[in-house]
């Protein structure tokens, strides 16, 4: 820090408000408290107990004494949502959660489940919320982690509490010979968070592939056979635990609830674990991969037809994407490395000095370094694949599909799911990439570089009820990949993400331009766009993401009403969630606008 900046900081301190001083005091003291035990605790490490003189605002009144209560900072994945001193509690049992929720209703508090915070959208918290507001975070990670597996039935059942991390749950399943058809790449996601936003990986059936019993190509929410939520019981005039079976109509609103519910436990179906081969290519050009539909050669659709599991990561202003293809492969092929554990791309989970220098320059305002940043990222991937012998891997599904660690570069992202048919996947990716590249080039000609991270594309199936091992199973009403009843030929979703460093100049206007095009281009003729709940969407011309009233109040709801029966669409989900939480104990500023 320069002398001038130190002087400015001191001046700011002298003119700061009492709330500012409270915030700074809390951070400084809490960091000191947490330093000794930081390595052993889940992030963030420090906690200031309610009885401590270090607390910075009034404690929740008459809080149940048997449940630990403390102040703790909250920070989401990209760091764009930070609240420094939230009151947080740590229930030991599901019964404790019931006690907490009933206390919250009586004292006019809102309860927000706390997982790993690996998200972008403020469904849980808004960045401007403070410790003085009546918000209580409920830590699910410390105690609500029980898992049991029943292989005596077919398909197998996995019962798990909401705080279990996916990497731990998948490890337990692998020990029992079970796995998933696909999964999100980060392992540090809580099961509760995954189910709240219909999280996904990448998988559709390859040509000729038969789905294994217990698997689903839809989101992970489609694996739920039953779930237990803490809901309002009008007869008892209290919140109580209730288990919803997958064949109950009201269950449909809880399968992807966006944070308007508190799930404490879920029972999932699971299929046999599968061996995969994951091959990486960095020598297929974007022009060939994303060519116009009907083109020959190594197109995105050709890889999808052959293997069913495809992901592309295309760094800005580079010629070739990083193409990953997973193929069902029961036996170890010759000259292929066996992966005995997940996270096999260490070069993508660390930030070398050369990359740090470029990021620093961009953060300081030299956005013209963006092409150099893209080129360096591509070079690091190419070299890393060779150096670590990870360009051709074989192993169990968990070991090949989990590959993002918390140490990877933190970026912000927008996200959309485009519902379409397999026959039109190539058209979707061609049109999107062509539009994006044209606009990025146009901005570059003006000296603007709004996106300095990659374009990522994945494909999954939809949340089909016939993939669920329960007769008359209901579909998740709010899932981004809920099938469109009136368009049965639409059988998959193309997931589109643009990544950039938080605070990049011109990013939000660019994201708005992309979003408006996506909703216009994929409006129902041959494809339909919906938002990816955990990412950025709803871009306003001047106010950024999750701010456009038309997108929040009309475009998003209508995308989930489209082609559905009126009594089983968006409005039905809102009514169900409101009926089971009339006090809006489970709500946030964004949810108040999105699901009023």
């Amino acid at each position: 820090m320069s002398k001038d900046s130190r002087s400015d900081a001191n001046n700011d301190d002298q003119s700061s408000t009492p709330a500012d001083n409270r915030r700074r005091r809390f951070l400084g003291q809490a960091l000191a408290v947490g330093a000794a035990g930081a390595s052993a605790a889940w992030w963030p490490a420090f906690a200031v107990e309610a009885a401590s003189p270090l607390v910075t605002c009034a404690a929740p009144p008459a809080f149940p004494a048997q449940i630990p209560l403390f102040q703790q900072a909250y920070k989401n994945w990209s760091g764009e949502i930070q609240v420094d001193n939230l009151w947080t509690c740590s229930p030991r049992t599901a019964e404790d959660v019931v006690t907490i929720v009933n206390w919250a209703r009586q004292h006019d508090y809102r309860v927000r489940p706390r997982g790993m915070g690996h998200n972008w959208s403020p469904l849980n918290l808004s960045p401007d919320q403070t410790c003085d507001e009546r918000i209580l975070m409920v830590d699910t990670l410390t105690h609500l982690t029980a898992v049991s597996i029943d292989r005596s039935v077919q398909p197998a059942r996995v019962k798990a509490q909401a705080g279990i991390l996916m990497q731990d749950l998948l490890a337990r399943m692998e020990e029992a010979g079970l796995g998933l058809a696909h999964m999100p790449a980060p392992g540090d996601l809580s099961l509760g968070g995954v189910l709240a936003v219909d999280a996904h990986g990448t998988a559709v059936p390859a040509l000729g592939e038969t789905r294994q019993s217990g698997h689903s190509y839809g989101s992970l929410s489609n694996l739920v056979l039953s779930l237990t939520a803490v809901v309002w019981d009008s007869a008892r005039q209290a919140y109580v635990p209730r288990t919803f079976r997958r064949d109950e109509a009201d269950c449909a609103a809880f399968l992807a609830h966006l944070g308007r519910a508190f799930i404490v436990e879920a029972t999932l179906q699971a299929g046999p674990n599968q061996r995969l081969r994951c091959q990486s290519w960095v020598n297929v050009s974007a022009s060939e991969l994303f060519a116009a539909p009907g083109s020959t050669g190594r197109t995105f659709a050709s890889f999808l037809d052959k293997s069913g599991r495809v992901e592309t990561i295309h760094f800005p202003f580079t010629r070739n994407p990083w193409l990953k293809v997973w193929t069902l492969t029961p036996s170890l092929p010759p000259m292929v490395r066996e992966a005995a554990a997940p996270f096999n791309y260490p070069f993508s989970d660390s930030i070398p000095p050369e990359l740090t220098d470029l990021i620093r320059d961009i953060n300081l305002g030299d956005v013209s370094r963006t092409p150099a940043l893209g080129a360096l990222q591509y070079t690091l991937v190419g070299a890393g694949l060779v150096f670590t012998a990870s360009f051709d891997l074989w192993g169990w599904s968990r070991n090949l599909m989990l590959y993002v660690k918390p140490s990877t570069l933190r970026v912000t992202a927008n996200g959309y799911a485009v519902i379409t048919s397999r026959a039109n996947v190539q058209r979707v990716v061609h049109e999107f990439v062509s539009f994006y590249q044209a606009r990025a080039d146009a901005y570059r000609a003006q000296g603007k570089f709004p996106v300095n991270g990659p374009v990522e594309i994945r494909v999954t199936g939809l949340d089909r009820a016939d993939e669920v091992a329960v007769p008359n199973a209901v579909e998740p009403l709010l899932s981004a990949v809920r099938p469109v009843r009136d368009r049965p030929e639409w059988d998959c979703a193309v997931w589109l993400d643009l990544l950039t460093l938080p605070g990049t100049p011109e990013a939000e206007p660019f994201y708005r331009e992309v979003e408006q095009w996506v909703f216009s281009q994929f409006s129902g003729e041959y494809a339909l766009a919906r938002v990816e709940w955990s990412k950025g969407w709803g871009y306003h011309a001047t106010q950024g993401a999750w701010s456009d009233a038309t997108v929040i109040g009309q475009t998003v709801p209508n995308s989930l009403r489209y082609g559905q029966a009126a009594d089983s669409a968006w409005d039905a989900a809102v009514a169900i969630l409101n009926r089971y939480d009339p006090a809006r104990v489970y709500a946030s500023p964004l949810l108040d606008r999105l699901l009023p």
Side-chain angles (χ1 to χ4, degrees):
M1 181 182 290
S2 69
K3 179 179 178 180
D4 289 343
S5 63
R6 287 197 300 270
S7 175
D8 290 342
N10 291 335
N11 289 338
D12 288 344
D13 284 342
Q14 294 169 4
S15 61
S16 59
T17 66
D20 292 332
N21 291 331
R22 272 205 316 267
R23 175 178 179 274
R24 293 189 181 104
R25 179 166 63 93
F26 177 83
L27 278 177
Q29 293 169 333
L31 285 169
V33 169
S39 62
W42 60 277
W43 189 97
F46 60 82
V48 176
E49 303 296 333
S52 169
L54 303 180
V55 299
T56 58
C57 63
F63 189 76
Q66 73 276 19
I67 301 172
L69 178 68
F70 45 89
Q71 280 189 299
Q72 194 167 54
Y74 176 91
K75 183 177 181 179
N76 78 329
W77 171 253
S78 64
E80 294 170 289
I81 301 174
Q82 296 189 61
V83 185
D84 296 326
N85 48 3
L86 283 172
W87 284 107
T88 305
C89 64
S90 187
R92 295 181 175 88
T93 65
E95 290 73 21
D96 280 353
V97 175
V98 176
T99 299
I100 291 164
V101 173
N102 280 303
W103 170 89
R105 183 187 71 86
Q106 294 165 6
H107 292 84
D108 196 27
Y109 266 69
R110 285 185 162 180
V111 163
R112 308 307 300 145
R114 179 171 190 150
M116 290 300 294
H118 194 134
N119 74 307
W120 289 262
S121 62
L123 292 169
N124 215 23
L125 284 173
S126 292
D128 57 352
Q129 294 188 279
T130 69
C131 130
D132 294 308
E133 298 181 48
R134 292 177 175 264
I135 302 168
L136 181 66
M137 304 300 294
V138 179
D139 159 35
T140 65
L141 301 175
T142 302
H143 301 292
L144 302 180
T145 59
V147 178
S148 62
I149 297 175
D150 182 3
R151 292 214 57 180
S152 67
V153 292
Q154 289 298 324
R157 268 64 167 167
V158 178
K159 181 183 289 187
Q161 290 184 307
I164 187 74
L165 295 186
M166 289 303 299
Q167 60 194 23
D168 299 328
L169 178 61
L170 291 164
R172 290 284 303 277
M173 291 172 61
E174 184 178 294
E175 292 171 359
L178 302 172
L180 305 181
H182 63 95
M183 61 201 70
D188 62 329
L189 307 177
S190 69
L191 176 62
V194 162
L195 297 181
V197 295
D198 60 285
H200 65 94
T202 183
V204 292
L207 294 184
E209 178 182 333
T210 300
R211 181 182 64 87
Q212 297 265 2
S213 174
H215 287 173
S216 172
Y217 299 108
S219 77
L220 271 61
S221 293
N222 204 42
L223 299 171
V224 172
L225 301 178
S226 67
L227 55 82
T228 301
V230 180
V231 299
W232 177 251
D233 185 316
S234 58
R236 301 183 190 181
Q237 287 295 289
Y239 283 82
V240 300
R242 174 173 169 180
T243 298
F244 295 86
R245 299 186 317 272
R246 188 63 185 267
D247 57 359
E248 293 183 66
D250 287 352
C251 185
F254 291 90
L255 295 168
H257 57 80
L258 316 187
R260 271 295 282 131
F262 200 127
I263 309 300
V264 292
E265 184 178 79
T267 298
L268 313 178
Q269 66 182 34
N273 204 3
Q274 296 176 308
R275 299 274 199 180
L276 298 171
R277 180 183 186 181
C278 182
Q279 296 169 280
S280 288
W281 282 275
V282 291
N283 62 348
V284 182
S285 70
S287 60
E288 182 178 9
L289 192 62
F290 305 124
S295 300
T296 59
R298 297 174 295 179
T299 64
F300 190 98
S302 72
F303 287 103
L304 202 65
D305 288 344
K306 180 180 179 182
S307 300
R309 297 150 181 83
V310 179
E311 174 186 72
T312 61
I313 300 175
H314 191 192
F315 299 108
F317 304 106
T318 59
R319 182 174 180 269
N320 301 341
W322 178 10
L323 168 65
K324 292 209 288 287
V325 179
W326 294 262
T327 309
L328 291 175
T329 308
S331 301
L332 177 64
M335 306 299 291
V336 176
R337 180 167 74 86
E338 180 173 0
F343 310 114
N344 289 286
Y345 306 110
F347 52 85
S348 68
D349 290 322
S350 60
I351 306 175
E354 299 87 352
L355 197 61
T356 302
D357 291 344
L358 284 173
I359 293 169
R360 179 200 61 209
D361 292 345
I362 291 171
N363 283 337
L364 291 174
D366 187 3
V367 294
S368 67
R369 304 296 303 279
T370 296
L373 177 63
L376 178 58
Q377 289 176 297
Y378 172 79
T379 298
L380 291 171
V381 167
L385 289 169
V386 174
F387 183 76
T388 62
S390 53
F391 57 88
D392 198 350
L393 299 170
W394 178 86
W396 292 116
S397 58
R398 173 183 73 101
N399 296 336
L400 296 191
M401 290 188 165
L402 292 181
Y403 65 85
V404 172
K405 284 187 173 182
S407 56
T408 195
L409 180 63
R410 301 297 179 98
V411 292
T412 192
N414 69 355
Y416 306 92
V418 179
I419 313 303
T420 192
S421 64
R422 283 285 289 272
N424 280 319
V425 166
Q426 190 68 30
R427 179 179 176 183
V428 169
V429 299
H430 170 72
E431 291 178 351
F432 175 76
V433 171
S434 296
F435 172 81
Y436 164 74
Q437 289 181 334
R439 297 311 302 147
D441 288 342
Y443 272 68
R444 182 181 188 179
Q446 302 173 52
K448 300 175 181 179
F449 298 86
V451 174
N452 43 51
V455 180
E456 298 185 348
I457 300 177
R458 302 172 181 88
V459 180
T460 66
L462 305 183
D463 286 344
R464 296 166 54 98
D466 61 8
E467 293 184 354
V468 182
V470 174
N472 303 311
V474 295
E475 297 171 353
L477 293 179
L478 297 180
S479 170
V481 290
R482 185 190 180 193
V484 179
R485 187 193 63 170
D486 291 350
R487 301 299 296 267
E489 74 276 16
W490 291 352
D491 56 2
C492 65
V494 181
W495 299 85
L496 307 170
D497 300 320
L498 298 178
L499 282 59
T500 199
L501 295 169
T504 299
E506 305 294 332
E508 290 175 337
F510 185 85
Y511 276 150
R512 175 177 171 81
E513 188 175 347
V514 170
E515 178 173 87
Q516 296 295 311
W517 179 88
V518 165
F519 283 130
S520 174
Q521 185 71 13
F522 308 124
S523 58
E525 176 191 352
Y526 77 95
L528 178 71
R530 295 171 176 160
V531 301
E532 183 172 3
W533 295 118
S534 64
K535 302 287 178 63
W537 44 269
Y539 291 91
H540 186 273
T542 59
Q543 298 171 20
W546 316 291
S547 300
D548 188 284
T550 300
V551 173
I552 293 172
Q554 298 178 32
T555 308
V556 169
N558 287 341
S559 72
L560 283 155
R561 293 182 181 120
Y562 181 93
Q564 310 291 2
D567 61 352
S568 62
W570 176 272
D571 305 279
V574 172
I576 292 168
L577 294 169
N578 285 342
R579 187 167 75 249
Y580 285 105
D581 181 27
R584 299 189 73 82
V585 173
Y586 314 126
S588 67
L590 176 56
L591 290 174
D592 287 338
R593 290 180 289 141
L594 182 67
L595 302 171

